[in-house]
């Protein structure tokens, strides 16, 4: 067994999805000595994300505040700190709830300072001319949130990692199998080759992979996975301007021209023939 070590304080980040990549970049940008270890750079959930940047409905104020700060951080990152991040700020249209729920959502979020306005059907048609009339809200209006956007999350993760590496971070493709301990303190991670990577601090950002890793220390992380349906079309010319959250689906156009369509953020069984389910949904 060999030991990889460094005499200066160092940090190991486990996970190369959007969370691990962002943490590693932020640490490297502050001149920390970072090693990022992951099986799949770009992530596992990350490339399958709808990746809508928003602080929309359904959360208590403290969590809204966190999400709103995160939106502002994406702006700063894209505009100033890491230009080239694949971000798209096109706002969002929403009529994916009942009119009463939309009214409640607008009232609450407006009182919190969110830029959210009512948009009549004719204005929606103007913003998203590709929608056929049947797709528009039956009750004649929706909400428009102008500050929202989207990120091509896996590309962004690669971008963070490449820039962190350029700033001196070490990138190690490997499976972490457990933790190394010194007394009662975690002092590193063990990787599948049998090597140990020692560090002063370990950041576990391995998504679902954090569950079995923490289980080796008797810690239960209450995270589970669920099947879901996310559809990518072939690339097409510019069709959609922003995110739309409609009654039965949400959709946006990716920067590479593909339309991304989802049905339920909480997941949902696409059935035994996901391709057929996807085609039926797109034709409905
Ligand atoms: C369908 C869908 C839609 C979503 N929509 C949105 C949305 O609109 N807006 C939004 O903000 N969020 C959305 N999310 C959530 C968001 O995408 C995830 O929270 C995010 O991508 C999680 O990133 P992550 O880096 O934590 O995990 P992951 O992307 O899963 O990355 C985990 C990383 O850990 C590594 N790893 C795991 N185990 C090990 C191990 N033992 N050793 C080494 N490496 C390991 C993997 O290789 C990978 O690099 C959505 C998610 C899904 C699935």
């Amino acid at each position: 067994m060999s030991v990889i070590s460094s005499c200066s304080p160092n940090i190991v980040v486990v996970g190369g999805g959007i969370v691990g990549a962002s943490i590693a970049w932020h640490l490297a940008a502050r001149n920390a000595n970072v090693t990022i270890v992951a099986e799949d750079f770009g992530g596992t959930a990350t490339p399958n994300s709808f990746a809508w940047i928003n602080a929309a409905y359904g959360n208590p104020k403290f969590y809204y505040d966190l999400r709103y700060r995160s939106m502002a951080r994406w702006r700063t990152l894209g505009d100033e700190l890491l230009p080239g991040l694949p971000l798209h700020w096109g706002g969002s249209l929403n009529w994916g709830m009942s009119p009463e729920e939309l009214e409640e959502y607008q009232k609450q979020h407006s009182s919190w300072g969110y830029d959210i306005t009512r948009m009549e059907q004719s204005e929606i048609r103007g913003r998203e001319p590709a929608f056929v009339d049947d797709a528009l809200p039956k009750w004649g209006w929706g909400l428009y949130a102008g500050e929202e956007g989207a990120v091509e999350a896996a590309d962004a993760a690669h971008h963070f990692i490449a820039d962190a590496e350029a700033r001196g971070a070490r990138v190690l493709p490997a499976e972490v199998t457990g933790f190394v301990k010194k007394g009662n303190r975690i002092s590193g991670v063990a990787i599948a080759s049998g090597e140990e990577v020692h560090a002063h601090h370990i950041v576990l950002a391995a998504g679902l992979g954090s569950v079995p890793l923490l289980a080796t220390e008797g810690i239960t992380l209450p995270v589970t996975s669920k099947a879901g349906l996310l559809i990518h079309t072939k690339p097409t010319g510019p069709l959609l301007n922003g995110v739309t959250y409609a009654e039965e689906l949400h959709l946006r156009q990716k920067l590479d021209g593909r339309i991304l369509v989802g049905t339920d953020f909480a997941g949902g069984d696409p059935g035994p023939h996901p391709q057929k389910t996807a085609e039926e949904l797109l034709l409905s």
Side-chain angles (χ1 to χ4, degrees):
M1 182 181 73
S2 66
V3 172
I4 302 167
S5 193
S6 157
C7 52
S8 58
N10 58 57
I11 303 167
V12 164
V13 178
V14 183
I18 193 65
V19 176
S22 171
I23 291 170
W25 182 85
H26 279 86
L27 289 167
R30 286 164 180 75
N31 300 317
N33 182 7
V34 182
T35 300
I36 175 164
V37 190
E39 282 183 284
D40 298 307
F41 290 96
T44 309
T46 300
N48 298 302
S49 177
F50 188 68
W52 173 16
I53 299 174
N54 71 89
Y57 56 88
N59 297 126
K61 178 72 165 53
F62 76 91
Y63 191 51
Y64 161 85
D65 288 340
L66 176 69
R67 297 176 78 197
Y68 194 70
R69 284 208 306 276
S70 166
M71 289 170 70
R73 184 65 182 165
W74 276 115
R75 287 259 183 203
T76 308
L77 282 164
D79 291 350
E80 297 166 28
L81 302 177
L82 197 51
L85 272 176
L87 291 156
H88 174 62
W89 298 106
S92 84
L93 286 166
N94 185 334
W95 61 91
M97 297 178 260
S98 70
E100 295 75 26
E101 287 167 326
L102 287 170
E103 272 166 3
E104 185 56 32
Y105 163 38
Q106 185 193 9
K107 195 169 144 210
Q108 181 194 59
H109 274 55
S110 295
S111 76
W112 290 347
Y114 206 49
D115 174 18
I116 184 160
T117 50
R118 183 172 157 141
M119 200 170 255
E120 301 305 319
Q121 196 139 312
S122 56
E123 298 169 284
I124 294 176
R125 216 176 269 120
R127 267 209 73 75
E128 296 291 2
F131 288 161
V132 295
D133 282 355
D134 280 356
L136 299 177
K138 290 190 226 24
W139 51 86
W141 60 274
L143 296 178
Y144 176 67
E147 296 167 283
E148 296 179 3
V151 58
E152 304 315 345
D155 294 342
H158 286 294
H159 201 79
F160 275 128
I161 292 166
D163 199 72
E165 196 172 16
R167 292 167 185 266
R170 182 166 163 249
V171 176
L172 182 62
E175 180 196 355
V176 172
T177 52
F179 300 99
V180 180
K181 282 182 172 171
K182 209 178 214 173
N184 61 0
R185 193 174 173 279
I186 303 280
S187 62
V189 293
I191 58 177
S193 63
E195 290 171 296
E196 292 176 357
V197 187
H198 290 187
H200 296 90
H201 305 281
I202 313 291
V203 179
L204 193 55
L208 215 50
S210 299
V211 177
L213 281 175
L214 287 172
T216 64
E217 293 300 317
I219 298 168
T220 303
L221 186 67
V223 178
T224 54
S225 67
K226 198 173 173 186
L229 183 69
L230 194 69
I231 306 163
H232 284 85
T233 68
K234 288 188 179 140
T236 166
L239 269 182
L240 302 177
N241 291 310
V243 171
T244 297
Y245 182 62
E247 275 167 282
E248 283 176 6
L249 42 80
H250 46 274
L251 70 168
R252 70 177 178 90
Q253 187 158 22
K254 298 187 76 165
L255 292 174
D256 65 7
R258 291 181 296 166
I259 310 275
L260 188 58
V261 185
T263 49
D264 186 347
F265 280 104
D269 187 359
H273 306 292
Q275 179 71 28
K276 192 161 168 269
T277 309
E279 283 163 10
E280 284 168 3
L281 183 74
L282 286 183
L283 290 173
S284 67

